[in-house]
């Protein structure tokens, strides 16, 4: 296993390299004078001069990349001109809020999705299966940003059970209970689609596994149906669902862009939208880089979890 | 040999994998086929026997040109490398060898168009002839493969192979995927076609009784090498390699109890790291120190003898079938 | 289970597809909704709608059902209905174009990568992986950030981020297909790489492309709406559904209808697309067609009234009478087993011989209810284990007997062992399911069992996973598992078919030794007469779901009574007798959903006469305890053999 982990970590290097190139090129490919484009409405002569110096914009592209990469390793992601502070500081501050929201949503959708998928498969064509299938269909067809608005209307405006926006109450609050109170609606909204996708794939995976010869063997051994389903079938199904959960992590982190905007959650998603609107491209670059690296790491974890369950993958 | 053989293989080796990874590490290399030499005279049927993993399918793919040897060369009588025009292939799984989305007519016409460049009218006549040759009704021509049973599908596969008017047909386990009652149909048909079209067969099978019944000469393969070869009758009645002996003893015969001679649960050697000596040594009842260190060469007892075996301590006693 | 029983399920002809799709009620609903929306969107210029961009500050924020404005107006007094229809048009156009671009580019990348393999594949897929390393929507944001907000840029962004889905999907399928034999066959037919890729592979990939399109269109419409919602897609005054929703959001607390209405439209649109998409997927997915996605229940359904047991003193080990098992597939009923009687005494080994589709495996699996339901069901007969009626036993009782009194060994030991558990664990589990032993005790017992099946170094082997063992070793483990508890009847279903000859001989020898050591009765199923004769003193020959002949193995081998048995013996070459002309059996095996009346073998039988084709024929006794189901057997009834 340690050798396998080392191998996976090594395999990460080209992916991270590719990512850094894309994120870097994102700036370089902007048409026109890059410094003024990056700076947008903040393109004062001083700022332009400073940026040209920082990024070496007068040099060749590979040189620029190396300078950029060097800065990156020193923790220098440039400076946000709209906020007038280092990108890294802003991004890290925002990232924790996104992590709380996306992490809890991912947890919720994994648990609910797996549960619904298994129940749906075990009770195939029963009322539970039909209900879950319908809910899944509705879930994956609902625009999450609209669902968020509806939930705000229902539970924050009309019944006032939950706050409509923010992460903590402005006066008082600040403790865990307050956070959870604020977290509930956005987390729920964010997890709906992913829950549907995971439930659907779990169902298919379970149904496929339940047809396999080794399930027949388990039954021929005289094992209880509960053991056949949860011990023998679910474990194999999990192997194919785990990468889907990994991919859903990406959808959840991306979807946070909408949900954070709708619920005014102070995370990296809402920051990105604002940054794009004000064309603060260095801030966009920093935010995207951080979220993407986090996503890559989550997928690495999913990979390792998968090989932990399935010995055939540890090669 | 008075005449030049139709097919000649010289020291053909095929390795899979190998090379280097992106980071410069060596990739593992599988020795699928090692220094195989054989000759096949026109009009003859050569049987290749061996168990799974012995390299017999790799050999077949090399001969028909679906794959290239890593070392050594394969020559057809006259000019060099085998071409689809002269060498054709019949697949083990007859249904998988037919594209599910094409009609039988289109499948049979493909070699006529691409290999023979036939005109439309000639094609139609030829397709009908082919169907007749494998005793299938021409009304099946516009159907799709899934409408046929395994036995029928294999006949279509044979018809397609015949379409190119080849000299040599490589038959790779042509009846293993078929039901028992269909096997005889196909085997008998292959025999008739051979007489009629003057074909040469390379017949690959794991089933000794099938090989015995169709071939004039047999080569036994183990772990990527030919370990014994000779005229069928001679080889089956007087096997000289202990592996051939084991195969013959293991083959089920109606009314004969299993012998279960091979009690060792030794497996095939690691193909990534073949042993220096005889690959059969771990399972061999006769093996000595020499077998572990030195690879036996394929040799005959005398120059005139075409029965060869790769064994340091070949069996001398006769093995008679009751 | 035999492969042929399920292979010819549904015929896929072009004209049938539409009808099948319309049979799916939800898909039809989706289709109708989608057509309505499409029609509305296409007809928008001709409809008597207000100008969607005409502002009227006086009429701002009118509620729905206001005169002249059925859905009300927005903050600038623009008619919501008109904006909705025009917005739908834009959303549809963008969503569908994005899908088509992604499908075209992605499929092409996937096809080329999967077919070319090697370095081309590696480079293309590395690029795709890198794109996929970005969280989906984030990448779209990046692209819009670079290109600048705008509907067309949003379209490109959505298309680009979806290319990897198509590419990966299609590459996987293409890779699998290009290793298939028919591609090699095409190559040997002289076709070029391009002809093979587009003429042979593409037609087989097309259904997957269509499935992927139909399941992603809805998603892409949502994503385009999302970008517009954030203000990065459609720019005013142009509006799509997403930007309408985004504009309405600011007025959520005061006039919610402005944002709810476009939201409902997006929902209905995407829902209809998804309903239709699911229907298309169900139609084209081969797994659904073959029934590979229906869950088999724990025990085969028994649909008939099973006669109660009358206790008898000397009940045989296993007594099967009149067993009939069917598979219900669509409207077809496959009669896999059509009335089988079997009797097994203590210590006896009975061989069941037949070709694929003869019903031999289904017979064996029916006894302990292991035939998958759906589609299988037992419709007649009884099966008694030492006098106890198995078809009347409770599920709990059957569980108690499975793996203990009655154990199974199946054909392919790699597929029948659980891939994720060590073989030792699987053995221990089998033991502890029936014996109250501690884990340690069970482990010791497992080790002893492995020794019994002649596995060297059993303690170390217990820690191996199935994929780390050879085929012979795996089958030994399966046999050990079948012996784990006090077994009375062992059912071995083609246990040596997947093995090499030398390994087969080892396993057969092992089974013989084990038989002598124990008194278990064995039901041994095989297609190979010679394998059966190595082990069984009695044999029953099956054809088309019925036993056609039974008796002592040596007697049948030397003088078969049924013409089918005779041909079965004569159509295989026998080692040491190569000169013999093989007796081919003409014709094809019968189709189980359309069995002929009378003898099922009659159409292929050289001795068949008119009476064979309409009479139903019973098993009749011959001398020497033999039975035959034939009107014109090769031996005289009751006479001397």
């Amino acid at each position: 296993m340690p050798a396998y982990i080392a191998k996976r970590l090594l395999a990460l290097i080209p992916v991270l390299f590719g990512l850094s190139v894309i994120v870097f090129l994102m700036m370089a490919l902007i048409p026109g004078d890059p410094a003024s484009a990056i700076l947008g409405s903040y393109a004062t002569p001083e700022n332009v001069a400073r940026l040209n110096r920082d990024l070496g914009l007068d040099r060749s592209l590979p040189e620029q990349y190396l300078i950029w990469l060097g800065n990156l390793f020193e923790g220098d992601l440039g400076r946000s001109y709209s906020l007038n502070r280092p990108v890294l500081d802003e991004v890290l501050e925002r990232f924790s809020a996104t992590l709380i929201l996306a992490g809890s949503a991912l947890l919720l959708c994994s648990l609910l999705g797996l549960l619904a998928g298994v129940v749906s498969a075990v009770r195939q064509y029963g009322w539970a299966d039909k209900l879950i299938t319908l809910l899944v269909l509705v879930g994956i067809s609902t625009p999450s940003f609209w669902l968020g608005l509806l939930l705000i209307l229902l539970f924050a405006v009309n019944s006032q059970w939950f706050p409509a926006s923010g992460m903590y109450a402005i006066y008082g609050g600040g403790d865990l209970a307050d956070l959870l109170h604020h977290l509930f609606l956005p987390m729920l909204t964010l997890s709906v689609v992913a829950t549907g996708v995971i439930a659907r794939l779990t169902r298919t995976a379970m149904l496929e596994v339940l047809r396999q010869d080794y399930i027949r063997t388990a039954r021929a051994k005289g094992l209880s149906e509960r053991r056949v389903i949860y011990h023998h079938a679910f474990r194999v199904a999990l192997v194919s669902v785990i990468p889907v959960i990994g991919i859903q992590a990406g959808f959840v982190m991306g979807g946070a862009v909408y949900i954070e905007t709708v619920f005014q959650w102070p995370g990296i998603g809402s920051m990105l939208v604002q940054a794009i609107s004000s064309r603060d491209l260095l801030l966009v670059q920093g935010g995207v880089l951080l979220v993407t690296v986090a996503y890559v790491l989550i997928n690495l974890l999913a990979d390792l979890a998968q090989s932990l369950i399935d010995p055939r993958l540890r090669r | 040999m008075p005449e030049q053989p139709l097919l000649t293989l010289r020291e053909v080796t095929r390795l899979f994998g190998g090379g280097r990874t992106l980071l410069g590490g060596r990739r593992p290399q599988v020795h699928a086929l090692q220094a195989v030499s054989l000759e096949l005279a026109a009009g003859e049927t050569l049987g290749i026997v061996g168990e799974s993993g012995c390299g017999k399918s790799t050999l077949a793919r090399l001969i028909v040109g679906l794959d290239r040897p890593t070392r050594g060369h394969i020559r057809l009588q006259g000019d060099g490398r085998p071409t689809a025009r002269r060498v054709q292939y019949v697949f083990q799984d007859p249904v998988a060898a037919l594209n599910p989305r094409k009609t039988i007519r289109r499948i049979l016409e493909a070699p006529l168009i691409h290999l023979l460049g036939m005109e439309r009218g000639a094609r139609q006549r030829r397709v009908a002839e082919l169907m007749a040759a494998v005793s299938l009704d021409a009304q099946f021509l516009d159907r799709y493969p899934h409408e046929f049973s395994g036995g029928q599908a294999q006949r279509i596969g044979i018809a397609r192979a015949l379409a190119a008017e080849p000299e040599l047909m490589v038959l790779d386990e042509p009846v293993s995927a078929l039901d028992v009652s269909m096997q005889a149909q196909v085997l008998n048909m292959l025999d008739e076609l051979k007489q009629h079209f003057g074909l040469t067969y390379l017949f690959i099978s794991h089933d000794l009784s099938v090989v015995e019944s169709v071939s004039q000469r047999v080569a036994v393969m183990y772990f990527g090498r030919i370990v014994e070869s000779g005229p069928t009758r001679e080889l089956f009645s007087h096997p000289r390699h202990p592996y051939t002996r084991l195969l013959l003893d293991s083959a089920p015969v109606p009314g004969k109890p299993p012998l279960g001679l091979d009690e060792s649960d030794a497996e095939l050697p690691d193909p990534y790291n073949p042993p220096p000596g005889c690959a059969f040594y771990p399972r061999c009842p006769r093996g000595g120190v020499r077998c572990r260190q030195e690879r036996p060469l394929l040799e005959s007892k005398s120059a005139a003898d075409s029965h060869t075996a790769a064994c340091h301590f070949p069996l001398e006693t006769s093995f008679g079938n009751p | 289970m035999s492969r042929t029983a399920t292979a010819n399920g549904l015929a896929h002809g072009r004209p049938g597809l539409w009808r099948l799709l319309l049979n799916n009620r939800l898909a039809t609903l989706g289709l109708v909704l989608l057509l309505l929306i499409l029609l509305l969107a296409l007809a928008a210029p001709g409809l008597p709608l207000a100008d969607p961009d005409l502002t009227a500050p006086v009429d701002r924020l009118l509620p729905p059902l206001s005169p002249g404005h059925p859905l009300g107006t927005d903050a600038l007094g623009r008619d919501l209905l008109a904006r909705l229809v025009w917005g739908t048009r834009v959303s549809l156009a963008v969503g569908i174009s994005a899908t088509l671009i992604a499908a075209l580019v992605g499929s092409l990348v996937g096809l080329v990568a999967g077919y070319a393999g090697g370095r081309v594949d590696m480079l293309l897929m590395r690029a795709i992986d890198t794109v996929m390393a970005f969280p989906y929507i984030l990448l779209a944001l990046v692209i819009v950030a670079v290109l600048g907000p705008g509907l067309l840029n949003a379209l490109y962004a959505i298309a680009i981020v979806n290319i990897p889905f198509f590419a990966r999907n299609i590459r996987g399928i293409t890779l699998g297909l290009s290793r298939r034999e028919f591609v090699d066959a095409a190559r040997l037919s002289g076709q070029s790489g391009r002809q093979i890729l587009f003429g042979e592979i593409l037609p087989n990939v097309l259904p997957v492309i269509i499935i992927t399109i139909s399941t992603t269109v809805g998603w892409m419409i949502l994503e385009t709406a999302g970008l517009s919602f954030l203000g990065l897609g459609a720019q005013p005054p142009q509006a799509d559904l997403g930007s309408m929703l985004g504009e309405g959001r600011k007025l959520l607390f005061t006039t919610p209808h402005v944002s709810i209405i476009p939201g409902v439209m997006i929902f209905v649109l995407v829902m209809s697309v998804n309903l239709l998409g699911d229907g298309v997927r169900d139609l084209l997915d081969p797994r659904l067609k073959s029934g590979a996605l229906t869950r088999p229940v724990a025990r085969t359904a028994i649909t008939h009234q099973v006669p109660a047991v009358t206790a008898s003193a000397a009940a045989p080990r296993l007594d099967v009478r009149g067993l009939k098992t069917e598979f219900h597939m669509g409207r077809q009923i496959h009669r896999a087993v059509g009335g089988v009687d079997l009797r097994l005494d203590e210590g006896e080994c009975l061989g069941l011989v037949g070709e694929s589709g003869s019903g031999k495996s289904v017979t064996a699996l029916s006894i302990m209810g292991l035939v998958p339901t759906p589609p299988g069901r037992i419709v007649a007969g009884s099966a008694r284990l030492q006098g106890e009626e198995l078809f009347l036993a409770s599920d709990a009782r059957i569980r108690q007997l499975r793996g203990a009194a009655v154990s199974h060994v199946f054909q392919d030991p790699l597929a029948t062992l659980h891939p994720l558990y060590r073989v030792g664990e699987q053995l221990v589990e089998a033991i502890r399911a029936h014996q109250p032993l501690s884990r340690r005790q069970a482990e010791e017992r497992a080790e002893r069992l492995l020794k019994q099946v002649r596995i060297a170094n059993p303690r170390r082997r217990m820690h191996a996973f199935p994929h780390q063992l050879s085929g012979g070793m795996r089958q030994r483990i399966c046999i050990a598992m079948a012996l784990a508890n006090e077994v009375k009847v062992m059912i071995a279903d083609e246990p040596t078919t997947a093995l090499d000859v030398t390994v087969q001989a080892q396993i057969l020898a092992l089974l013989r030794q084990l038989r002598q050591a124990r008194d278990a009765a064995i039901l041994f199923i095989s297609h190979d007469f010679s394998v059966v004769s190595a082990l069984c003193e009695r044999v029953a020959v099956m054809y088309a779901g019925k036993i056609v002949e039974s008796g002592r193995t040596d007697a049948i081998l030397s003088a078969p009574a049924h013409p089918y048995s005779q041909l079965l013996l004569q159509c295989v070459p026998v080692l040491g007798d190569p000169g013999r002309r093989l007796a081919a059996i003409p014709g094809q095996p019968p189709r189980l959903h359309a069995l002929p009346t009378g003898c099922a073998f009659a159409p292929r039988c050289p001795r068949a006469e008119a009476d064979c084709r309409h009479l139903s024929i019973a098993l009749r006794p011959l001398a020497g305890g033999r039975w035959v189901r034939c009107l014109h057997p090769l031996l005289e009834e009751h006479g001397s053999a």
Side-chain angles (χ1 to χ4, degrees), chain A residues 217-223, chain C residues 317 368 370 385-386 388 390 396-409 429-436 445 449 479-491 518-521:
Chain A
T217 307
R219 290 192 169 128
K221 276 156 88 173
L223 303 181
Chain C
R317 269 288 161 82
M368 291 312 283
L370 287 171
L385 180 72
Q386 294 181 315
E388 181 182 359
L390 294 171
R397 176 66 185 150
I398 287 290
R399 250 195 332 265
Q400 230 171 43
L401 293 172
R402 281 180 182 174
V406 184
S407 61
H408 293 79
V409 179
E429 186 186 37
I431 295 167
R432 293 185 71 195
H434 298 285
Q435 298 178 44
R445 173 145 177 74
L449 282 167
I479 293 171
M481 209 136 72
L483 299 174
N485 303 296
E486 287 304 308
V487 56
K488 304 268 187 251
V489 176
M490 187 202 274
I491 298 174
R518 291 165 175 255
D519 71 338

Side-chain angles (χ1 to χ4, degrees), chain B residues 67-249:
Chain B
D67 196 2
R68 300 258 180 91
T70 313
R71 285 194 286 277
H73 64 256
I74 301 173
R75 290 211 179 285
L76 271 185
Q77 195 177 56
D79 49 358
R81 273 220 305 273
T83 57
R85 182 67 189 74
R86 298 180 64 190
V87 185
Q88 277 291 330
Y89 192 41
V90 174
F91 295 81
Q92 172 169 5
D93 184 342
V95 180
L98 303 176
N99 191 338
R101 303 210 165 251
K102 287 192 152 180
T103 60
I104 305 309
R105 184 187 300 279
R106 288 188 61 199
I107 289 172
L108 290 182
E109 278 186 337
L112 303 180
I113 298 171
H114 300 290
L115 292 173
L116 304 180
M118 252 186 210
E119 292 303 314
R120 197 184 172 82
R123 268 199 327 253
Q124 278 202 333
R125 280 194 300 280
R126 179 83 180 119
V127 163
E129 278 169 29
L130 288 169
M131 289 294 272
V134 296
S135 356
L136 282 175
D137 203 319
Q139 66 170 8
F140 289 150
L141 275 171
D142 294 305
R143 300 211 186 158
Y144 286 88
H146 72 269
E147 299 175 60
F148 295 90
S149 72
Q152 290 169 322
Q154 191 58 295
R155 289 197 235 169
I156 296 167
I158 292 169
R160 177 186 42 206
L162 286 174
E165 296 167 28
E167 295 156 65
L168 172 64
M169 295 247 274
V170 176
L171 309 158
D172 187 2
E173 304 257 11
V175 296
S176 325
L178 305 182
D179 254 325
V180 185
S181 69
M182 294 288 122
Q183 290 188 5
Q185 283 183 12
V186 171
L187 287 176
N188 287 344
M189 168 178 297
L190 284 171
D191 192 33
E192 282 156 23
L193 292 172
K194 188 183 169 197
Q195 311 297 333
H196 192 263
F197 294 103
L199 295 164
T200 305
Y201 285 165
L202 186 85
F203 193 103
I204 295 172
S205 178
H206 70 280
D207 189 330
L208 282 97
S209 53
V210 170
V211 166
E212 188 191 23
S213 74
V214 299
S215 35
Q216 283 114 41
R217 278 199 308 131
V218 177
V220 180
M221 289 186 70
Y222 187 75
F223 196 65
R225 288 177 187 276
I226 292 178
V227 295
E228 181 163 8
S229 85
T232 309
R233 267 174 196 270
E234 157 76 10
L235 188 140
F236 275 55
S237 55
H238 303 286
R240 292 177 54 203
H241 198 286
Y243 175 64
T244 313
R245 178 73 188 249
L246 174 66
L247 272 182
L248 286 165
D249 285 347

Side-chain angles (χ1 to χ4, degrees), chain A residues 14-15 17-20 22-23 25-27 29-31 121-125 133-134 137-146 148-150 152-153 156-157 164 193 197 200 203-205 207-225 227 229-233 235-237 239 247 249-251 253-258 261-264 268-269 272-273 276-277 279 281 284 287-289 291-293 295-296 299 309-314, chain C residues 1 26 126-127 129-139 141-142 144-149 165 168 215 219 222-227 229-230 232 242 245 248-249 252-253 256 259-264 266-268 270-272 274-275 278 281 287-288 290-299 365 370 372-375 398-404 406-408 410-412 414-422 425-427 429-430 433-434 465 467-468 481 485 493:
Chain A
V15 175
F17 171 74
L19 280 181
S20 67
I22 291 187
V23 172
L25 284 180
M26 165 189 155
M27 296 298 120
L29 290 181
I30 294 172
V122 171
R123 306 245 174 273
Q124 195 188 16
Y125 303 134
T133 306
L134 185 74
L137 195 66
V138 170
I140 59 172
S141 305
T142 310
S144 58
F145 38 92
W146 178 66
L149 293 180
L150 286 186
I152 290 175
L153 209 57
V157 178
V193 175
V197 175
R200 207 170 233 214
R203 179 178 186 268
T204 315
L207 288 176
E208 229 166 50
V209 173
L210 282 169
R211 280 264 146 186
Q212 299 299 313
D213 284 356
Y214 48 82
I215 297 300
R216 186 182 60 190
T217 307
R219 290 192 169 128
K221 276 156 88 173
L223 303 181
S224 69
E225 198 55 14
R227 194 166 169 87
I229 288 170
Y230 294 100
H231 196 73
H232 285 242
R235 205 176 160 104
V236 184
V239 173
I247 291 173
F251 281 82
M253 289 199 290
V257 171
Y258 305 130
T261 306
V262 169
F263 287 92
Q264 291 168 34
I268 228 161
L272 281 174
V273 175
I276 292 174
S277 308
R279 294 202 54 82
L281 290 176
V284 174
V288 167
L289 195 66
V291 176
T292 304
V293 170
Y295 176 50
V296 169
N299 271 302
I309 299 177
D310 192 340
R312 292 169 298 178
L313 299 173
R314 284 174 230 151
Chain C
M1 269 278 303
L26 285 176
R126 273 289 128 79
D129 282 349
T130 313
V131 174
M132 276 195 104
F134 285 92
Y136 183 76
I137 301 155
L138 222 55
L139 185 59
L141 278 184
V142 170
V144 174
V146 172
L147 300 177
F165 285 89
R168 279 188 111 163
T215 45
W219 183 245
L222 268 185
E223 287 317 310
T224 332
L227 288 182
F229 171 79
L230 295 175
L232 305 173
L245 189 52
R249 179 169 80 91
L252 179 67
F253 299 128
S259 50
I260 287 179
I261 288 169
V264 171
I266 299 175
F267 173 69
V268 173
V270 175
M271 183 87 168
S272 68
N274 284 344
L275 280 172
D278 287 358
R281 184 202 57 201
R287 289 179 307 181
L288 286 159
S290 64
L293 284 185
T294 41
R295 167 183 191 252
V297 294
R299 186 180 174 189
L365 290 175
L370 287 171
T373 296
I398 287 290
R399 250 195 332 265
Q400 230 171 43
L401 293 172
R402 281 180 182 174
V406 184
S407 61
H408 293 79
F410 298 109
Q411 177 172 340
D412 178 0
L414 182 59
T416 51
L417 287 171
H418 198 287
L420 307 187
Y421 293 108
R422 295 172 197 280
E425 287 176 76
Q426 301 189 42
L427 255 173
E429 186 186 37
H434 298 285
F465 287 99
H467 71 276
Q468 296 167 331
M481 209 136 72
N485 303 296
D493 187 358

Side-chain angles (χ1 to χ4, degrees), chain A residues 91-104:
Chain A
V91 165
L92 283 179
E93 205 174 291
R94 295 282 198 141
F95 189 60
S96 59
T98 298
L99 214 55
I100 290 172
L101 176 62
S104 57

Side-chain angles (χ1 to χ4, degrees), chain C residues 123 493 566:
Chain C
L123 280 176
D493 187 358
Q566 189 194 34

Side-chain angles (χ1 to χ4, degrees), chain A:
Chain A
M1 200 64 193
Y4 179 77
I5 295 177
K7 208 173 138 189
R8 299 302 314 178
L9 282 172
L10 269 178
L12 221 54
I13 294 171
V15 175
L16 290 176
F17 171 74
L19 280 181
S20 67
V21 169
I22 291 187
V23 172
F24 165 76
L25 284 180
M26 165 189 155
M27 296 298 120
L29 290 181
I30 294 172
D33 169 27
S36 2
I38 290 172
L39 291 170
S41 47
Y42 302 92
T44 59
E46 305 91 82
N47 281 345
V48 171
R50 186 166 163 188
L51 191 67
N52 275 328
R53 195 175 57 242
D54 285 356
L55 301 180
L57 286 174
D58 43 351
R59 311 206 192 175
S60 73
L61 217 53
E63 272 181 292
Q64 287 181 41
Y65 173 71
L66 287 179
I67 293 172
W68 179 78
L69 203 64
N71 289 344
L72 188 66
F73 278 117
E74 285 168 14
D76 180 8
L77 290 175
R79 201 171 171 79
S80 158
Y81 290 89
S82 64
L83 301 171
N84 200 23
R85 66 183 294 207
V87 166
L88 189 71
D89 296 0
E90 174 72 10
V91 165
L92 283 179
E93 205 174 291
R94 295 282 198 141
F95 189 60
S96 59
T98 298
L99 214 55
I100 290 172
L101 176 62
S104 57
L106 190 64
L107 201 67
L108 184 71
C109 70
S110 307
L111 292 178
L112 276 183
L114 284 171
L115 187 73
V118 170
V119 169
S120 194
V122 171
R123 306 245 174 273
Q124 195 188 16
Y125 303 134
W127 65 266
D129 180 30
K130 283 180 181 153
L131 183 71
I132 289 171
T133 306
L134 185 74
L135 285 178
V136 164
L137 195 66
V138 170
I140 59 172
S141 305
T142 310
S144 58
F145 38 92
W146 178 66
L147 182 67
L149 293 180
L150 286 186
L151 290 180
I152 290 175
L153 209 57
L154 281 174
F155 297 110
V157 178
N158 291 348
S159 69
Q160 307 215 323
W161 289 349
F162 293 100
S165 65
M167 192 166 165
Y168 293 105
I170 297 165
Y171 304 108
D175 55 356
L176 188 66
D178 186 36
L179 175 66
L180 292 178
H181 194 214
H182 279 80
L183 182 63
F184 185 76
L185 284 185
M187 172 184 74
L188 195 69
T189 317
L190 188 52
S191 60
V192 165
V193 175
T195 306
V197 175
I198 292 172
R200 207 170 233 214
L201 278 149
T202 307
R203 179 178 186 268
T204 315
M206 280 295 284
L207 288 176
E208 229 166 50
V209 173
L210 282 169
R211 280 264 146 186
Q212 299 299 313
D213 284 356
Y214 48 82
I215 297 300
R216 186 182 60 190
T217 307
R219 290 192 169 128
K221 276 156 88 173
L223 303 181
S224 69
E225 198 55 14
R226 174 185 290 265
R227 194 166 169 87
V228 169
I229 288 170
Y230 294 100
H231 196 73
H232 285 242
F234 180 66
R235 205 176 160 104
V236 184
L238 202 56
V239 173
S240 51
V241 176
I242 284 176
V244 174
I245 293 180
I247 291 173
Q248 288 309 305
F251 281 82
V252 166
M253 289 199 290
V257 171
Y258 305 130
I259 305 306
E260 286 178 6
T261 306
V262 169
F263 287 92
Q264 291 168 34
W265 188 267
I268 228 161
S270 51
M271 179 203 85
L272 281 174
V273 175
Q274 287 155 15
I276 292 174
S277 308
S278 53
R279 294 202 54 82
D280 189 346
L281 290 176
L282 285 181
L283 194 55
V284 174
Q285 193 183 43
V288 167
L289 195 66
L290 191 61
V291 176
T292 304
V293 170
Y295 176 50
V296 169
L297 291 180
I298 289 174
N299 271 302
L300 176 71
L301 285 182
D303 237 27
L304 294 180
Q306 200 188 11
S307 64
L308 205 62
I309 299 177
D310 192 340
R312 292 169 298 178
L313 299 173
R314 284 174 230 151
R315 275 180 298 133

